[in-house]
Amino acid sequence: MQALEILQQHNLKKTSPRLAIIEALQSSGEPLAEAEISIKMGSHYDRTTFYRSMLTLEEAGILHRIIVDKLLVKYALNPAGPTVKSQTDHAHFYCNQCKKLVCLEEIHPGPYRLPAGFQTSESEVIIKGLCNKCS
Amino acid sequence: MQALEILQQHNLKKTSPRLAIIEALQSSGEPLAEAEISIKMGSHYDRTTFYRSMLTLEEAGILHRIIVDKLLVKYALNPAGPTVKSQTDHAHFYCNQCKKLVCLEEIHPGPYRLPAGFQTSESEVIIKGLCNKCS
DNA sequence: CCCATATTTGCAACATTGTTGCATTTGGAA
DNA sequence: TTCCAAATGCAACAATGTTGCAAATATGGG
């Protein structure tokens, strides 16, 4: 689906930073960090706008954020269609060698057997190792 | 066990920053962020020393680091005794209300059924929600 | 098409977490 | 006590993210 259509579907204004972010992720085909997206967006790049756009796009269910390590965060487009919980409720794999991140859409972790009185609202799983190309 | 003994057991020099860090975590009884530890350590506090000490203590298996969210990292003492993989290979629970982190030592996630060719070296699971005191 | 306005952008400044280089200090052993 | 490798402490820097505010813009109504 075109970036324009995605924004339209979610009733968001079709501004150029938002379009550029979505297109950068689409053209890459894999989750990217801010630095990687900024390179694809070229010179008219503002970090504040980027972070505010990401908040808007995440709240709309267009993409999700993956915290890989202390100072390493990547952003991934969600599959098209109506927002379903399982779209973001999946595990992620990070390759320690090629530094690429993969959404493991078919792995839905949990439920976990928590001690009495604990209530889960969300969970994040990140698996690290070597991907199929690097092993 | 005393902080001094812990360092001795791992053949580490018994320097005052290391002792202060371990004692801060012991007196708290729960995982703490850098800012929380620095308050407990008082005025003679240096951030570089803190990070280098944490690296040393983590490599020695005395404590482990938990990435809660983009800019929120906590550190937890490991149980005493010889280093066992299961000590750090457990899930963590973060309470969205009281902001406290709990090591769920009895929850050992995985193994995960990864696509062909993927090799796991480690994994991290963080469960968020409401703890037993806040629910 | 143009105008009004609420939203969004872009800039400056700042906050937090973490790292690197280097001179000084110190723990621990001879 | 003396010596030296290891560790500390300081300055500077890097990366990620946030806040306040003025200027620009998307979009709906006339």
Side-chain angles (χ1 to χ4, degrees), chain B residues 2-4 18-28 40 77:
Chain B
Q2 295 286 348
L4 263 170
R18 291 173 185 175
L19 291 170
I21 288 170
I22 295 175
E23 281 160 6
L25 285 172
Q26 284 179 328
S27 74
S28 141
K40 285 186 173 272
L77 281 178

Side-chain angles (χ1 to χ4, degrees), chain A:
Chain A
M1 187 161 43
Q2 294 285 349
L4 264 170
E5 295 174 75
I6 294 178
L7 290 177
Q8 212 150 32
Q9 260 193 7
H10 290 84
N11 279 319
L12 295 177
K13 290 192 178 173
K14 312 172 204 49
T15 68
S16 63
R18 290 173 185 174
L19 290 170
I21 288 170
I22 295 175
E23 281 161 6
L25 285 171
Q26 283 180 330
S27 75
S28 142
E30 63 183 87
L32 299 177
E34 186 213 333
E36 297 167 309
I37 295 175
S38 78
I39 291 170
K40 283 186 174 274
M41 286 177 64
S43 47
H44 318 343
Y45 177 75
D46 178 72
R47 302 189 61 249
T48 309
T49 300
F50 172 84
Y51 282 106
R52 282 194 283 228
S53 300
M54 290 321 238
L55 263 188
T56 305
L57 297 176
E58 191 178 6
E59 278 167 11
I62 295 173
L63 48 77
H64 63 280
R65 194 175 51 202
I66 308 115
I67 294 138
V68 180
D69 206 345
K70 36 196 170 180
L71 285 184
L72 179 50
V73 178
K74 298 235 181 187
Y75 302 87
L77 281 179
N78 294 340
T83 305
V84 180
K85 199 192 173 196
S86 67
Q87 282 178 358
T88 51
D89 188 16
H90 56 251
H92 294 101
F93 185 91
Y94 179 72
C95 178
N96 286 324
Q97 187 163 320
C98 69
K99 312 299 182 194
K100 290 193 178 171
L101 189 82
V102 182
C103 288
L104 301 171
E105 318 255 3
E106 69 281 10
I107 298 186
H108 301 279
Y112 300 100
R113 298 180 57 187
L114 300 176
F118 285 72
Q119 288 176 26
T120 303
S121 74
E122 75 230 68
S123 68
E124 285 160 42
V125 174
I126 177 123
I127 305 166
K128 300 183 187 181
L130 292 179
C131 73
N132 52 349
K133 288 172 192 151
C134 294
S135 64

Side-chain angles (χ1 to χ4, degrees), chain B residues 12-13 15 17-18 44-46 48-49 52-53 56 70-71:
Chain B
L12 295 177
K13 289 191 180 177
T15 68
R18 291 173 185 175
H44 326 337
Y45 176 76
D46 178 72
T48 309
T49 300
R52 281 195 283 229
S53 300
T56 305
K70 37 193 171 182
L71 285 184

